[in-house]
Amino acid sequence: MVATAKNTGEGWSSRSAFILAAVGAAVGLGNIWRFPTLAGESGGGAFVIFYIACVFLLGLPLVLSEIFIGRVGQTDAVGSIRRVAGQSNASPAWSIFGGIGAIAAFLILSFYSVVAGWVLYYAGTMGADFIQAILSGDPLRGALAGESRDQIQQRLSDMFASPMLLLVMHLGFMGLTLFIVARGVSSGIEKAATYLMPIFFVLLLGLVIYGAVEGEMGEALTFLFTPDWSKLTPPVMNSALGQALFSLSLGVAGLITYGSYIKEGSGLGSTSAMIAIADTCVALLAGLMIFPIVFAVGLDPAAGPTLVFQTLPFAFQTMPGGALFGFLFFVLILVAAVTSSISLLEVPTAWGIGERGWRRPKSALIFGIGAFVIGIFCLLGYNVWSDVRPLGFWSLFAETDILDTVDGFTGKIMLPLGALLTSLFIGWKADKRLLQTTTGLSPLSFGLFRFLIAWLCPLAVIIILVTGLFPSILGA
Ligand code: TRP
């Protein structure tokens, strides 16, 4: 069956191109920044094991569902859901979750680009430091030689204090994202993924080996894989569930959109499994890259969001080759962030093309600039507007700054809502025969899939939603 996306005629050039792009979308700041942060804060092993269970019982069926919708729909998320609903005698009103998804992706992009801008700045700082190391005739020295720990930590505060610096970095990152998406699916997104993902994997493996040679790999393995079940409290479970959705790029129609560019073939089950497995392996490898280094220097794994920006640069200072590997580390995160941000921009862009009939560059420009502007508000929340609490009237967000409010609102509400509607739609409304032939699952796997998507996913996601909205239920 050959049917290109009706709106643009665009599509992936091969199955492996799709897998690479989807893995690129999944692997991002969520894997390398958020996962180790959460694992560290939550005490390691029990969180990690519960997270893996969430990925395969909850995430994988949702990955398959989103790709299925896109594969059948062959157009933007809203149009695709409408088409599946049409073929399943379900109400076209279900397409509303495609719209919610596009808005969520747009909002996530706005702060994602700001955080990626920090990474860009650190890559530049460490790159300049490495060049200095070469010029000083000692290319294998540690990073940021001669700076005290306080001075290294001060770098982050100094960066936050400068709206101009944050703005320039945000602009640079968003500009790159916009440039790639405006070029289109095969000559933009696919090309970026096919060049960047191999670079990413080489860097990741190199850094894991570096951690194994120079760091405390044994301690890291124990930390990440020895469960202390008493640490698996309800808030920890909640964050593991939410992280599984975020890391697999679920709930905002990202995979519906990417799935709509699959031109032919079925076998969506194995494709989905590869995406989930690759994403999880990268998260675990990121842990095995970061924690040996953290432990080698006797630092605190529970440092929180600043782990990557303050703890690690200090660790790289004390390690041989730290200037070089510190630089490579931030390049690695940057590469991962770009292949994810393009997927975020692609969701609303495809909507503009499919539902509004805009040309691709125009649609990408509108949403890219829109997200850039919202991102400016987010970054000003770190300095001139640090007192602003946009949803301060709502107890859940009473203490949250602008960026964390956008993050929290999308992550705690919109993303689970999108995932819930996806699972209800696929579990209860979508035509079963269409589902089975398109996914190409064996009867046994299909039965399991149907059970997970109709029962386990909605239940688990409702729990995330409710406990996310009313954290007091969890006693947190
Ligand atoms: N999954 C990406 C990460 O881990 C982020 C991301 C890209 C995303 N597209 C998404 C998150 C869609 C939620 C929805 O960094």
Side-chain angles (χ1 to χ4, degrees), residues 58-59 62 240-251 415-416 419 461 464:
L58 179 80
L62 282 164
L241 279 162
Q243 171 66 10
L245 294 183
F246 186 87
S247 190
L248 292 170
S249 305
L250 290 167
L415 216 131
V461 177
I464 311 184

Side-chain angles (χ1 to χ4, degrees), residues 25-31 108 112 245-250 252 340 343-344 415:
V27 170
L29 296 174
N31 303 62
I108 293 174
Y112 202 85
L245 294 183
F246 186 87
S247 190
L248 292 170
S249 305
L250 290 167
V252 311
S340 294
S343 81
L344 288 165
L415 216 131

Side-chain angles (χ1 to χ4, degrees), residues 358-369:
W358 294 336
R359 288 181 46 244
R360 169 172 287 274
K362 174 181 170 185
S363 193
L365 206 61
I366 288 176
F367 293 110
I369 292 178

